[in-house]
Amino acid sequence: MRTRSNSKQSSGKESTASAIRDVDSESLADMSNEAVDKLVRRVKGRGSSGKKKQDNRLQCDSAATGENGLKSNGKQVVDARVTWNDLDARGLAQDPAANDTTEVEGGGFQTAFQESDQEMDDIDWEDGSSSILGHVKNHPGDGIREVTIEFCESPDSAKRKPIRRATAEEKGLAELVHKVHLLCLLARGRIIDHACDDPLIQASLLSILPAHLSNTLGDSKLHAKALSPLAHWFHNNFHVVSSVSEKRSFHSALSCALETREGTLEELAALSVALFRALKLATRFVSILDAASIKPDADNYESLNQDTSKMHRGIFNTSTLMVDRPKEVSIPPKSPSCSEKKNVAETSSKASCKSKDNCSRSKKIQSNDSPPAVELKDNMVDAFPCEAQNNTSEECVTKKSQGSKRKGDLEFEMQLQMAMSATAVAIQSNKELDVKESNSNSSDVSSPFKRIRKNANEESSSQGISTALGSRKIGSPLYWAEVYCSGENLTGKWVHVDAVHDIVDGEQKVEAAADACKTSLRYVVAFAGLGAKDVTRRYCMKWYKIASQRVNSLWWDAVLAPLRELESGATGGMAHLEKPHADASNEHENVVASGLSDLPMPNELPSNVDLPKESGRKNDVESSGRNSFAATRNTIEDMELETRALTEPLPTNQQAYKNHSLYAIEKWLTKCQILHPKGPILGFCSGHPVYPRACVQTLRTKERWLREGMQVKAKELPAKVVKQSGKLKKVQFSEDDDYGETDSGVVELYGMWQLEPLQLPHAVNGIVPKNERGQVDVWSEKCLPPGTVHLRLPRVFYVAKRLEIDYAPAMVGFEFRNGRSVPVFDGIVVCNEFKDAILEAYAEEEERRDAEEKKRNEAQAISRWYQLLSSIITRQRLNNSYGNGLMPSNVQNTNNQPDVHVGSTQPPGHQKDAKDRKLNAPSMTLTDDHEHVFLVEDQSFDEETSTRTKRCHCGFSVQVEEL
DNA sequence: ATGACGGACCCAACTTTGTGGAAA
DNA sequence: GTTTCCACTTTGTTGGGTCCGTCA
């Protein structure tokens, strides 16, 4: 059947159909079959308008009978439905009074159906691949039989939906947005980094840090292991909450988070950085810059993922909503004390047990570190929330307070399972590491909850921040710290520390975790000292996956260049672990003295910090040593990142090799590429040998190499022979017909290794070697015959011609004009020895030419002035002679106001003067024999416009532009 | 879920070296 | 009769890159 794609109509039908859809399933199939058959017969009777129509009808027929036969429950999903009244004998004719809206529509439809044969032929019909299911309903009241066919968007139609691809403009816009977003995120990172350096926040953190923890960093060589207790403590004492809606500065948000011991992931990560910095560890704040996609369209999808809260809502809309979104989790504006908060939480039914726990715990923690037994329960509650970034925490925490504990627990387990299944891949990929991690997690777990807790812990350990609910970006690692551990490796290294999730040295897990949460590690940037450094290579092993999603590297490097300097300057002066500092106040001062003083932020130094001269001198000495160390540290890190870039693991899928920067397989080489030398084989992918990308050589034709100033060595065979394009072939064949050649239709390509520098014939005896067209193709300087020079001057060939010097026109390229490509000439090529003579002559010639042109212009101007004045005078005479009432009105006006202004520019003042003069001048009648007399004293000269105004006593004035 | 593969589309690169008629 | 100027028509093809859908 042919269905007309009329959305209005179909929607109307659908609404009707929905009203009458409660169908008796027993009779439905038969009745609908019958109805459809009748319709088909009627259409047949009227004569089909084409074979295609018939075919479709048959399809529809068979579909209706077949499908209905198979699915008799009346709930089938049909591709297309139309509702109309069966206007058979039992239909409209019998009971016109029963025509409800549906019937009217149906009638209309049918009328259109009957009357528009011609129209149907004319209109562009869409092939309905739909099957028809006739929903026939016997209305008990009216007895009208209706066949319901619904037009839904069939899979086929969806398939045929035209694919709209992004235009270049949209791509450009997307790239711009991407860049702006990146810049914003960089700025954000710097703000956070700056806040982490706040001495008060650092001092506050130190004040709540148990003394034994600050003492654990006493070794001169810091190891990653030493950071674990710190991370653990932080993890247990600070808790992730949903993002606060209130807008305030990050600095105050950080203070608030510190006070309430809970905050967003970003804030907590910043606090951890501040803590490490307070302990005088060289620390960076690391963030994934999850910028808008660089490609258009992707944003439609991305935008859903960008806003985690939105996304969260979307996800949980579909599942059982355990509680209302607890607003109290968001940090109150005036940062009330925990007790206040507790009250609020208790009084409002939306209380979060987490906040209670936090409060009680924080009280405990202030005196001592929490014992593991107490912690376990809390952790069980908060482990998942933390991992699920923001909102998930609320959901699982609040379910306790909801009272529906069982349901909530089930939900919790379900979510946990979802999360774990979503991250299963990552677990496998990091199995070894997980084993290590789980070994380190030696706490006993026996109860199911504890097991879950353990799993969650393992998950979080293995994934960074695991739970990817709904396979979205929830729970993705976004912020962490990097601490420089001088004791790691031989040279020291930057160690990944995610204190929020109690993960130390988990850089290899970040990618898996991000993968599991659908977050792309396009940009991982480390911030320190208001600077930034791209450390994506450290965390991203599958560079080929993100390479295309990153912005142009030149632009990115240019943006980061000044930030890198700041960063390297800052991180160089912060790692001095020789002397542990037990006293927090001392530490604060030391931090300020040794760390912040090196930062390029003079304003940041508190005014009350008075550095003793001695320590200042000591600092100078240290800083000189530090700078060299910093340089080394930076260099080492750069080398490490570079090494990672060069030792990327082989991708497992073929298509990754298409544009891989390091590896290639022969299959994905382009037409003009070849492997030379063909080896070494680095591995295999799906049976295809993998070669280094360095082996891929680009081939060109001889002519193309000539443009590069290279020529093919003698006796070199083409490295590759490819088919010529059809158009060229045609041209070639027509030429071949004349010459009888047969080996056309192919293009011979040569590689770089087959070339030598272009050796053109030398210029001899002042004669320029030319090509067959008597010219020199100057694609570049390399294409100039030795002993010649290219003079790119207009009209220089006249000079050469006049001096009878041999020259060749220099063809510099082609341009398309009038539908064909025409050569573009620019200057001439002459022998070196004539260069000076030609230039000299050219200068003279140009001078002469300029003078001539000036002379010509002046003569032309004088001539024009003469003509103009002559015509004015002639006109005036004519007016005087014949203008008595015979002239048109405008000419008469001219007579009455006989000041004629000549010249295009007349200053307003002049106009006014003339007007005044006109007004003041006595009305006079010009006599025929009056001749204007321009007295010298009546003349005025305007220097600005070089215009002289001559006036006759009769009022006539002439403006003359003086040359 | 993933990868291979093919089709469709966009876009950039490549191509490439006048001629006939009117007016002066 | 010769020289000069101007209009003609705004290429068209190919292949790489990318995206999407299908299939295994």
Side-chain angles (χ1 to χ4, degrees), chain A residues 760-764 767-771 775-776 785-786 788 806 808 829 831:
Chain A
L760 291 169
H762 268 264
V764 183
I767 305 294
V768 178
K770 307 173 189 73
N771 64 11
Q775 64 199 33
V776 176
T788 63
D806 184 63
V829 176
C831 292

Side-chain angles (χ1 to χ4, degrees), chain A residues 525-572:
Chain A
V525 178
F527 296 90
L530 275 185
K533 185 175 186 176
D534 189 330
V535 292
T536 313
R537 285 282 187 187
R538 177 171 294 131
Y539 297 96
C540 183
M541 302 297 138
K542 296 169 185 170
W543 187 264
Y544 66 90
K545 280 191 173 176
I546 62 155
S548 65
Q549 298 169 32
R550 279 169 66 98
V551 75
N552 177 319
S553 62
L554 285 178
W555 181 86
W556 183 234
D557 290 343
V559 166
L560 285 185
L563 298 176
R564 276 193 62 154
E565 281 180 26
L566 290 174
E567 193 276 336
S568 63
T571 51

Side-chain angles (χ1 to χ4, degrees), chain A residues 376-394:
Chain A
L376 196 58
K377 202 174 179 183
D378 291 341
N379 286 346
M380 188 187 69
V381 175
D382 66 25
F384 178 74
C386 290
E387 287 155 4
Q389 196 165 344
N390 301 327
N391 303 333
T392 322
S393 60
E394 304 152 31

